[in-house]
Amino acid sequence: MITVRDNREKNRYEIHDGDQLAGFTDYKLTSAKIAFTHTEVDPAFGGRGLARRLVEFGLDDARERGLAVLPFCPYVRKVIAADPEKCLDLVPAKDRDRFDLPAAEDPA
């Protein structure tokens, strides 16, 4: 069974397969922002979409908590860029250029 949780003691979201840690995404948190710094999935768990699931969990949690997202991690940027309608608004407009993200969502 795959589970994802926020390990606040280690400042990271973790994804587990049963009782095994499969991956994590590190973050730095302030009162208004969450900076994603690194995402890693053990190669033994690769090819199952766990990294995306992990990052989407973190982005959803940021939204629920009203936090702005600073995607220093290249994989987090990739997830945001792949679904700008869902995620781009989490990154402050003034910061998007520094992360190579579009200024706004593409109109449908």
Side-chain angles (χ1 to χ4, degrees):
M1 177 201 276
I2 302 299
T3 57
V4 184
R5 69 181 182 96
D6 183 3
N7 184 339
R8 292 185 181 188
E9 289 179 7
K10 292 188 176 182
N11 293 318
R12 68 187 194 181
Y13 294 99
E14 299 176 340
I15 191 161
H16 294 261
D17 185 351
D19 61 353
Q20 292 186 308
L21 177 65
F24 59 89
T25 188
D26 290 323
Y27 63 78
K28 293 184 180 176
L29 185 65
T30 68
S31 62
K33 295 180 182 176
I34 185 166
F36 289 94
T37 58
H38 178 73
T39 301
E40 185 174 321
V41 171
D42 186 311
F45 297 94
R48 297 171 47 192
L50 298 182
R52 180 171 292 276
R53 188 167 169 183
L54 173 63
V55 168
E56 287 176 347
F57 180 92
L59 293 172
D60 288 345
D61 189 50
R63 182 178 303 285
E64 287 177 20
R65 294 165 64 184
L67 298 170
V69 170
L70 301 177
F72 291 100
C73 170
Y75 188 74
V76 174
R77 283 195 304 273
K78 180 179 174 180
V79 170
I80 291 170
D83 195 357
E85 289 183 9
K86 179 181 177 191
C87 305
L88 186 60
D89 67 306
L90 292 168
V91 181
K94 67 180 180 58
D95 294 314
R96 292 177 191 164
D97 189 49
R98 81 192 266 204
F99 296 113
D100 242 359
L101 293 168
E105 297 89 8
D106 290 331

